[in-house]
Amino acid sequence: MSTIREKVDVCVVGAGHAGCEAALACARLGLETVIFTVSVDSIALMPCNPNVGGSSKGHLVRELDALGGEMGKNIDKTFIQSKMLNVSKGPAVHSLRAQADKAEYSRAMRKVLEGQEHLTIKQAEVCELLWEDCSPSEDGAAAGSDGSQGVFEKRAVAASDGSQGVFEKRVTGVVTFTGAVYECKAVVLCTGTYLCARCLCGEAITYTGPNGLQAATHLTDSLKEMGIELRRFKTGTPARMDGRTIDYSKMEEQFGDERIVPFSFSTDPESIQKEQASCWLTYTNKATHDIIRANLDRSPIYAGIIEGTGPRYCPSIEDKVVKFAEKERHQVFLEPEGLHTHEMYVGGMSSSLPEDVQLAMYRTVPGLEHCKIVRNAYAIEYDCINAKQLYPSLEFKKVKGLFAGGQFNGSSGYEEAAAQGLVAGINAAMEIFGREFLVMDRSESYIGVLIDDLVTKDNREPYRMMTSRAEYRLLLRQDNADRRLRKKGYEIGLISEDEYQDLLCKEALIDREIERLKETKVGAGAEIQAFLERHESAALKTAASLAELICRPELSYALIEEIDTGRQEAYQEYASAEHVRPKYFTSDGKLSQEIIDQVEIEIKYEGYITRQQRQVEQYKKLEKKLIPADIDYDDVPSLRIEARQKLKEFRPVSLGQASRISGVSPADVSVLHIYIEKRGSMK
Ligand SMILES: Cc1cc2nc3c(=O)[nH]c(=O)nc-3n(C[C@H](O)[C@H](O)[C@H](O)COP(=O)(O)OP(=O)(O)OC[C@H]3O[C@@H](n4cnc5c(N)ncnc54)[C@H](O)[C@@H]3O)c2cc1C
């Protein structure tokens, strides 16, 4: 066995979407970091849909970018089509989605990792975690899993960052398949869909990770030995077709947007305007559904061979045909896997039916009559955790220094994974620096909603983000992610001084322009009345501010330019201000669309935004009410049995978190509140 023994700060297990963000965060904060993967050729692999973003997922990517993550920049470099979704609806659900050139996406992320100081990439399977015990009674002395002796103190206070440090163990390193030992101060587990993975295509079962890559078959036992509970989840992917065998004349072409909006706030919009690839829309039909129904007995899902639980919101075509039997057809999107391949992804038809059934079913779809399958559809099962074992910091409640992110936490999706990876990486670094953890609540970000749902709710299937999950979604728009989170990224140290100054300039320009529009009044003169009549807008009885006019549904910031005589002058004044950033002005001296969008949304939705901000104040009251770390729920009088059980199981950090645990009623929360207050006053 290898005798290599290395000392580093952080080990990140996994170079998928979560692992890449975690490792980059740690290395960029100056920590010696090693990122492990079973294959360096699969860094940031997209084993499923060839796109980043989409409804609510676009929000996650923008938030990640605002905090200093990489995914947004990486997709801006490698997209082949871009579209802003839901533009016919309100700004809260506008969401960017970009088709990626998968191979380029992986190559570009690998280049970033290889160019990162303090970061080492290692192709090796991590088989074991090293740890030391830290039981409360042993003050000072602890025996490690590898026999090393260490000194430990028990921490039993509730920290404001949501960790309640009654740890049983502390992680000290990892061991690879060859026996190499990497001692470290923190480990971030981002193993995705690889742990004890098995792939199912009808009766054919292979014990591999996605795309035939090696599965990671050893770490599960080590985690179980540490007392970590694991469970089986599954997900599935459709076949990939040879594009030369598809008849696109039978499909509807889907185009990207004319004006491309970048994911990253650091990307110059002008630099990414380019020709785009198309996607294609077709539909299943009765013939497709009949073939599926006739072969359900050969489906590993319906034959009960698959043990893992699959994502309700990414159903296989078998599930769709069975669960929505009344539907005559289901949408099928043909999406290019990249510019340098003929492979086409068949979105909407993931399956684990046998190969022959797959070919028959796909060939019933208009345009696919003569298709050739390059890669079969398949389902994959893998080990992951129930994230209720984690604090909102994504640190394990039982193991100090052990963090987790991505699909391993029971989520599904590249974006969900990357967002968690970034937070887990940042907090591993904060742990080492002894700094406050990054914990965002539900009113601050979709990432806050994602992590709170994962660690507070008993998710029994892979968790996928949706806008409906975010109760304060009007505040958590994708367009203002930088205004909500960039300061946090700057304080953590992942956002540069220059990027932060950009934000300050942007904020100042938005505030000044809103103020000007609120203070600039127009009278009910003939010219204004004529303008309003032309735009079928009610005549003015008395003077009104330009902001009041913008609030009218039939009017907009762009439309009122005609009567906003002071606009150019205002722009010149803004542009001559000290420290102004030229990026927020167009080549002809106007405010950029990015600024105008913020101004218009803030004015048009002011009432709704204010109301939601009041709701957030209410919400924050309970969030701020921390629960003492060493609370004994058996001591709390008149708590209902179910609530007592759930509170003991989850050990929530605040009354707010307690109120979201299913089985804990508002009455239980008040009982708890009174008990904590009383205890506080007795101290
Ligand atoms: C077949 C399939 C279908 C999918 N379908 C969907 C879908 O329909 N919708 C959706 O939203 N998402 C889907 N996904 C999920 C999506 O791919 C993941 O959400 C995303 O890739 C998760 O990112 P991650 O970083 O958590 O893990 P992954 O991208 O899986 O990366 C895990 C990394 O960990 C490494 N690794 C694991 N164990 C070890 C170890 N012990 N030692 C060293 N390295 C290790 C691997 O090499 C890899 O680099 C699907 C995934 C697959 C495989």
Side-chain angles (χ1 to χ4, degrees):
M1 274 303 198
S2 160
T3 57
I4 287 182
R5 202 179 183 91
E6 297 211 12
K7 259 193 187 336
V8 295
D9 296 313
V10 184
C11 290
V12 175
V13 184
H17 306 280
C20 291
E21 298 294 344
L24 284 170
C26 292
R28 286 170 175 168
L29 291 169
L31 294 168
E32 281 310 318
T33 306
V34 181
I35 183 169
F36 295 92
T37 175
V38 297
S39 157
V40 289
D41 304 318
S42 71
I43 287 174
L45 174 76
M46 297 172 128
C48 190
N49 47 308
N51 54 58
V52 166
S55 186
S56 77
K57 290 167 178 272
H59 295 64
L60 290 172
V61 180
R62 280 249 156 132
E63 292 179 356
L64 175 142
D65 178 77
L67 287 165
E70 191 63 26
M71 182 178 251
K73 296 186 183 79
N74 210 55
I75 186 66
D76 283 348
K77 287 184 239 169
T78 58
F79 76 93
I80 55 177
Q81 190 202 76
S82 176
K83 213 173 169 53
M84 186 67 80
L85 306 182
N86 303 327
V87 284
S88 60
K89 301 177 185 159
V93 290
H94 290 184
S95 210
L96 206 49
R97 188 185 64 198
Q99 300 297 125
D101 182 314
K102 284 185 173 183
E104 285 307 316
Y105 188 92
S106 172
R107 248 195 296 278
M109 186 62 89
R110 179 172 175 173
K111 197 160 170 236
V112 172
L113 294 186
E114 288 178 343
Q116 180 59 51
E117 237 193 313
H118 306 299
L119 183 53
T120 304
I121 303 172
K122 184 73 184 172
Q123 177 166 310
E125 181 192 347
V126 170
C127 297
E128 190 189 339
L129 294 189
L130 301 175
W131 45 274
E132 299 169 330
D133 263 340
C134 59
S135 55
S137 61
E138 276 181 81
D139 210 355
S145 63
D146 61 347
S148 63
Q149 288 298 318
V151 175
F152 250 83
E153 70 185 51
K154 182 170 75 69
R155 210 162 46 99
V157 290
S160 62
D161 53 30
S163 63
Q164 291 191 329
V166 188
F167 297 100
E168 295 168 4
K169 298 178 176 64
R170 172 191 198 119
V171 75
T172 59
V174 304
V175 183
T176 67
F177 185 72
T178 57
V181 173
Y182 292 79
E183 289 177 30
C184 60
K185 302 172 189 132
V187 172
V188 186
L189 295 175
C190 304
T191 55
T193 55
Y194 288 73
L195 277 195
C196 294
R198 70 173 185 158
C199 296
L200 302 96
C201 174
E203 301 84 357
I205 299 176
T206 53
Y207 291 84
T208 67
N211 291 15
L213 288 158
Q214 175 202 335
T217 50
H218 301 87
L219 189 56
T220 291
D221 292 342
S222 173
L223 297 176
K224 285 183 178 163
E225 207 189 298
M226 293 175 83
I228 292 172
E229 287 165 37
L230 287 146
R231 57 187 174 173
R232 284 303 261 174
F233 270 3
K234 80 108 190 164
T235 186
T237 196
R240 299 341 185 237
M241 296 298 170
D242 181 337
R244 294 165 298 181
T245 65
I246 297 174
D247 178 357
Y248 296 107
S249 70
K250 295 189 177 158
M251 302 178 178
E252 292 162 41
E253 189 165 4
Q254 310 283 304
F255 300 99
D257 286 344
E258 247 172 65
R259 173 90 190 147
I260 299 166
V261 177
F263 265 103
S264 176
F265 293 97
S266 308
T267 301
D268 170 9
E270 300 316 317
S271 69
I272 58 164
Q273 307 305 321
K274 63 181 181 184
E275 214 182 307
Q276 302 178 61
S278 293
C279 297
W280 304 84
L281 173 61
T282 181
Y283 299 86
T284 62
N285 50 44
K286 184 175 178 317
T288 324
H289 303 171
D290 290 349
I291 289 173
I292 293 168
R293 288 196 188 99
N295 289 282
L296 280 178
D297 60 328
R298 297 179 61 199
S299 148
I301 301 171
Y302 287 86
I305 298 168
I306 283 190
E307 297 148 13
T309 314
R312 184 194 325 224
Y313 299 106
C314 268
S316 65
I317 187 66
E318 296 96 291
D319 277 344
K320 288 181 193 175
V321 169
V322 171
K323 291 185 181 141
F324 312 106
E326 73 295 346
K327 279 197 86 175
E328 288 174 7
R329 66 181 190 167
H330 296 280
Q331 287 188 323
V332 179
F333 287 95
L334 276 293
E335 303 172 36
E337 292 259 312
L339 296 179
H340 312 292
T341 170
H342 293 301
E343 268 190 82
M344 295 296 280
Y345 173 89
V346 190
M349 286 188 81
S350 80
S351 173
S352 56
L353 284 162
E355 186 176 27
D356 54 310
V357 180
Q358 289 187 24
L359 191 59
M361 97 178 163
Y362 284 121
R363 286 192 169 170
T364 62
V365 174
L368 299 183
E369 293 84 353
H370 307 291
C371 69
K372 286 194 178 146
I373 294 180
V374 177
R375 303 177 207 237
N376 292 328
Y378 66 95
I380 186 166
E381 274 184 342
Y382 53 93
D383 289 348
C384 61
I385 59 164
N386 183 329
K388 67 182 180 193
Q389 298 174 80
L390 305 175
Y391 287 123
S393 58
L394 296 181
E395 184 174 27
F396 274 89
K397 289 176 179 172
K398 289 187 179 158
V399 188
K400 191 171 174 51
L402 184 60
F403 296 81
Q407 195 102 357
F408 177 68
N409 286 352
S411 66
S412 187
Y414 311 139
E415 306 79 1
E416 288 85 345
Q420 292 167 60
L422 180 70
V423 171
I426 287 171
N427 286 336
M430 297 300 118
E431 169 91 24
I432 294 171
F433 296 141
R435 285 175 57 189
E436 186 146 339
F437 283 149
L438 170 67
V439 174
M440 293 169 280
D441 70 32
R442 304 178 73 87
S443 69
E444 292 172 295
S445 66
Y446 270 80
I447 299 176
V449 174
L450 166 67
I451 293 176
D452 184 62
D453 281 351
L454 282 171
V455 302
T456 306
K457 297 192 173 147
D458 207 357
N459 302 294
R460 295 178 188 247
E461 58 183 65
Y463 176 99
R464 183 202 150 111
M465 182 45 80
M466 295 182 285
T467 48
S468 57
R469 294 189 193 276
E471 51 273 50
Y472 308 116
R473 57 184 164 276
L474 184 56
L475 304 179
L476 306 183
R477 303 182 316 272
Q478 50 102 35
D479 59 72
N480 70 356
D482 58 338
R483 301 175 66 193
R484 291 182 280 119
L485 302 174
R486 189 135 266 194
K487 186 163 183 286
K488 275 185 194 295
Y490 175 70
E491 287 161 354
I492 289 163
L494 290 177
I495 292 294
S496 68
E497 182 64 39
D498 188 49
E499 287 169 319
Y500 186 54
Q501 290 306 325
D502 273 355
L503 174 75
L504 296 181
C505 171
K506 180 174 175 177
E507 291 285 10
L509 287 169
I510 294 167
D511 293 347
R512 289 188 72 180
E513 183 61 355
I514 289 176
E515 197 186 328
R516 183 185 74 83
L517 292 165
K518 284 188 172 172
E519 283 170 3
T520 307
K521 302 260 185 219
V522 291
E527 193 197 332
I528 301 295
Q529 302 296 29
F531 164 81
L532 293 171
E533 195 179 338
R534 266 204 317 282
H535 294 286
E536 293 162 9
S537 191
L540 284 180
K541 294 195 179 60
T542 59
S545 73
L546 292 174
E548 283 168 300
L549 292 180
I550 290 173
C551 275
R552 295 184 175 191
E554 67 280 7
L555 297 179
S556 69
Y557 181 89
L559 276 181
I560 64 146
E561 179 167 10
E562 189 184 320
I563 56 171
D564 181 2
T565 49
R567 185 173 291 193
Q568 284 318 318
E569 198 188 324
Y571 285 176
Q572 281 155 13
E573 198 189 313
Y574 302 157
S576 61
E578 216 186 339
H579 312 305
V580 77
R581 301 261 150 163
K583 69 182 279 184
Y584 295 124
F585 294 85
T586 60
S587 52
D588 54 357
K590 293 187 172 168
L591 279 177
S592 72
Q593 194 57 43
E594 189 180 339
I595 302 285
I596 291 172
D597 288 346
Q598 291 304 304
V599 168
E600 187 152 51
I601 291 170
E602 296 255 347
I603 288 177
K604 273 192 180 288
Y605 294 87
E606 188 176 12
Y608 300 103
I609 291 172
T610 311
R611 194 183 318 142
Q612 205 144 85
Q613 282 163 340
R614 274 201 226 105
Q615 292 163 352
V616 167
E617 279 155 28
Q618 283 309 312
Y619 155 78
K620 282 198 181 278
K621 283 198 184 121
L622 274 188
E623 280 316 290
K624 289 203 179 93
K625 197 71 208 154
L626 297 178
I627 301 174
D630 53 2
I631 191 167
D632 180 353
Y633 288 105
D634 291 327
D635 268 357
V636 184
S638 46
L639 259 186
R640 286 173 319 105
I641 294 169
E642 185 196 7
R644 200 184 300 279
Q645 277 164 351
K646 282 288 176 77
L647 290 167
K648 284 165 83 172
E649 188 188 340
F650 276 84
R651 295 200 69 78
V653 293
S654 68
L655 285 180
Q657 194 186 11
S659 69
R660 292 188 293 280
I661 297 171
S662 68
V664 178
S665 71
D668 296 312
V669 174
S670 330
V671 163
L672 196 50
H673 195 169
I674 296 162
Y675 173 82
I676 293 169
E677 296 292 310
K678 261 212 201 112
R679 217 183 91 143
S681 60
M682 285 192 304
K683 286 230 169 118

